[in-house]
Amino acid sequence: MSNFKLGLKFAEELDQNDDLSSFRSQFYIPKDKNGNELIYMTGNSLGLQPKITKSYINQELEDWANLGVEGHTEGKNPWLHYHEFLTETMAKIVGAKPMEVVVMNSLTANLHFMMVSFYKPTPKRYKILIEADAFPSDKYAVESQLRHHGYDEKDGLVLWKARKGEELANYDDLEEILKSHGDDIALVMIGGVNYYTGQFFDLKRITKLGHQHGCMVGFDCAHGAGNVQLNLHDSGADFAVWCSYKYLNSGPGSLSGVFVNERHAHRKDLNRFTGWWSHNKQTRFKMRDDFDQLPGAEGWQLSNPPILSMAAIRASLDVFKDAGFDKLCKKSNRLTGYFEFLINNLNHKDIKIITPKDPKQRGCQLSIQVKNADRTLHGKLMQAGIVTDWREPDVIRCAPVPLYNSFMDVYGFVEKLKTILVISQGYK
Ligand SMILES: *Cc1c(COP(=O)(O)O)cnc(C)c1O
């Protein structure tokens, strides 16, 4: 399948033939104490800073300094409309229509706001289905929603588990769960790309299954947005949420994106929590009007948003626009394929990739399972100038990001990994 080769020369050739390679220089790459660039493989946790971000934020600081409150309407990028500057590019990246997307709040907060609208338990149908190894924040959020509605979380939570001895969730099992419990399940809420295994789920298939059984279906795409083609509109999902600080490079704790399918855009019967930013823009500042809900995802906003954080998102989205998301995904495929090829070539019994082999079922992340959960391997990589993360119980997550990671990064990573494995554990 692959036409990859071993050796330094081939890695250099891959970089030379990569027409996105110049984007790396548009980012700050973290360095070690001696000023050498680290091999940064944790863009799945916190994406790197684009060099243009500072100027985007400075623009807003300046308008604030010079204009004060008038910046809302007179600023270079009037703050009143600031979120609208993000919508189109963000919608493109997640594969949605602009009216289906808004940037607001933080991720877990948005997950709750979506559940206010799309988790409507009844005495007969009140359960929530999640993947067994869901991101902890999602699990806590879902459990607290169950409790909030008066249900026992142990009884109310249905887990889609990988089979014994397997790492990846299996669609046959999901079908089976829905066949036997579908009538009890109010909401199916899955992480679009699992944070631990890197498995990219078939959103359309899951949505179809959920809907067949009368469930609402939503996704947390924190590990998908900016990483894979989510095609949210086409998936038919009722809602999705994601953050902007992982693959979307918008800075620590930055705001979250929300998708609400257009079929819900004008619904007034859906329960929701509202604020003045959910209200009709034309009459928002009359301040005396009865509530007049904005259509589309914007109608789920509550507050006027933090502009400085939005400026960082805007900068990042402009880099994505320049590069082209389709091209990035294509490079990502090749970069991760090459990474996989080199690791498999080590053929070392102490490590195993648990991420799906099928490129359509993963993004850029590869999760390397370490035998006997030997955490020291992660520490040794760190010492060798490679930034990855360890996730309990036994995985090192590595994400070569097509915007700023090079084929040489990947090559250098595996060369160092090889040395570490040989020296510290030996080929046995
Ligand atoms: C990163 C991540 C979070 C973090 O939530 P915050 O509210 O931004 O702190 C939640 N869920 C998933 C699936 C994530 O990947």
Side-chain angles (χ1 to χ4, degrees):
M1 178 200 92
S2 78
N3 44 359
F4 297 121
K5 295 181 204 156
L6 298 171
L8 173 66
K9 201 167 149 280
F10 186 69
E12 288 170 342
E13 272 171 33
L14 286 170
D15 276 329
Q16 277 155 19
N17 295 328
D18 167 21
D19 54 0
L20 295 175
S21 63
S22 66
F23 280 86
R24 178 182 175 87
S25 66
Q26 297 188 28
F27 287 83
Y28 291 108
I29 311 288
K31 298 186 171 123
D32 67 13
K33 285 197 294 287
N34 303 319
N36 300 313
E37 282 182 352
L38 296 167
I39 297 182
Y40 192 81
M41 290 277 185
T42 41
N44 55 344
S45 185
L46 183 72
L48 292 181
Q49 183 184 143
K51 289 179 180 166
I52 57 169
T53 301
K54 219 172 268 172
S55 67
Y56 280 58
I57 293 176
N58 279 340
Q59 175 67 48
E60 305 318 318
L61 286 172
E62 253 166 57
D63 281 353
W64 178 25
N66 296 326
L67 301 168
V69 72
E70 298 300 322
H72 282 297
T73 48
E74 304 305 317
K76 183 161 178 246
N77 315 300
W79 304 326
L80 262 188
H81 311 288
Y82 206 96
H83 75 274
E84 295 170 20
F85 305 140
L86 313 178
T87 303
E88 201 168 309
T89 318
M90 190 62 103
K92 213 169 233 161
I93 288 176
V94 297
K97 298 187 177 179
M99 75 127 38
E100 294 175 314
V101 169
V102 72
V103 175
M104 63 180 196
N105 309 322
S106 314
L107 172 55
T108 308
N110 280 337
L111 184 53
H112 277 295
F113 288 128
M114 288 296 105
M115 286 195 279
V116 165
S117 298
F118 298 105
Y119 173 52
K120 309 254 300 247
T122 65
K124 164 103 198 57
R125 186 191 279 277
Y126 60 90
K127 297 189 178 183
I128 304 179
L129 185 150
I130 62 173
E131 83 262 41
D133 207 0
F135 194 92
S137 194
D138 296 15
K139 180 155 183 273
Y140 305 152
V142 161
E143 286 171 344
S144 68
Q145 284 281 335
L146 284 161
R147 283 195 298 272
H148 173 68
H149 287 279
Y151 299 102
D152 177 67
E153 73 221 40
K154 292 234 161 46
D155 167 54
L157 206 60
V158 181
L159 297 178
W160 178 22
K161 284 197 189 95
R163 294 176 187 181
K164 216 171 148 48
E166 294 182 13
E167 305 296 333
L168 304 174
N170 184 313
Y171 293 95
D172 293 341
D173 298 343
L174 181 65
E175 278 183 40
E176 202 44 54
I177 294 173
L178 284 165
K179 236 184 240 161
S180 48
H181 301 290
D183 291 348
D184 308 337
I185 296 172
L187 173 67
V188 175
M189 213 303 288
I190 305 287
V193 175
N194 182 269
Y195 82 102
Y196 187 79
T197 61
Q199 181 174 16
F200 174 22
F201 290 111
D202 186 337
L203 308 189
K204 196 169 182 168
R205 182 167 176 185
I206 292 173
T207 303
K208 200 165 158 216
L209 266 173
H211 285 172
Q212 270 168 6
H213 290 88
C215 320
M216 286 285 175
V217 180
F219 295 99
D220 186 331
C221 296
H223 280 267
N227 176 28
V228 292
Q229 302 277 12
L230 291 165
N231 298 322
L232 288 178
H233 176 80
D234 189 48
S235 77
D238 294 289
F239 71 88
V241 291
W242 58 94
C243 66
S244 64
Y245 51 81
K246 290 171 180 164
Y247 295 103
L248 291 175
N249 308 326
S250 301
S254 193
L255 295 166
S256 156
V258 166
F259 162 88
V260 179
N261 196 294
E262 70 174 346
R263 69 174 163 273
H264 303 302
H266 298 278
R267 285 182 65 180
K268 301 234 160 120
D269 59 316
L270 276 175
N271 193 35
R272 66 174 95 192
F273 288 170
T274 50
W276 68 332
W277 242 248
S278 352
H279 183 94
N280 184 342
K281 291 172 199 178
Q282 263 68 53
T283 55
R284 184 180 286 156
F285 293 98
K286 287 192 179 157
M287 314 289 251
R288 297 288 182 276
D289 281 22
D290 286 337
F291 183 63
D292 179 10
Q293 179 190 296
L294 273 174
E298 287 188 332
W300 269 266
Q301 298 172 105
L302 288 87
S303 298
N304 85 97
I307 299 300
L308 300 183
S309 190
M310 288 214 160
I313 300 178
R314 191 166 181 222
S316 169
L317 291 178
D318 280 353
V319 178
F320 270 88
K321 203 155 60 180
D322 265 9
F325 192 50
D326 292 348
K327 276 168 82 179
L328 280 169
C329 290
K330 219 177 250 170
K331 170 174 174 186
S332 178
N333 209 316
R334 194 146 169 77
L335 191 60
T336 294
Y338 177 58
F339 192 23
E340 180 184 44
F341 165 79
L342 292 179
I343 291 174
N344 286 340
N345 186 260
L346 294 179
N347 198 16
H348 195 283
K349 62 175 183 47
D350 289 354
I351 56 168
K352 182 181 119 192
I353 298 170
I354 60 168
T355 307
K357 293 183 175 66
D358 175 6
K360 288 198 191 68
Q361 295 184 55
R362 70 183 183 202
C364 71
Q365 174 182 324
L366 291 184
S367 302
I368 302 176
Q369 189 175 51
V370 185
K371 197 170 168 191
N372 300 326
D374 181 6
R375 210 187 153 141
T376 63
L377 181 58
H378 171 253
K380 283 169 189 156
L381 284 169
M382 202 75 192
Q383 276 168 17
I386 297 167
V387 190
T388 60
D389 66 21
W390 176 265
R391 283 291 175 268
E392 296 295 340
D394 60 0
V395 153
I396 294 175
R397 300 188 306 169
C398 320
V401 169
L403 260 177
Y404 48 75
N405 282 119
S406 60
F407 290 90
M408 272 303 290
D409 276 346
V410 164
Y411 176 79
F413 178 114
V414 180
E415 281 299 294
K416 287 190 174 161
L417 176 64
K418 180 161 69 181
T419 310
I420 292 167
L421 287 170
V422 170
I423 292 175
S424 63
Q425 296 165 313
Y427 282 102
K428 287 176 198 133

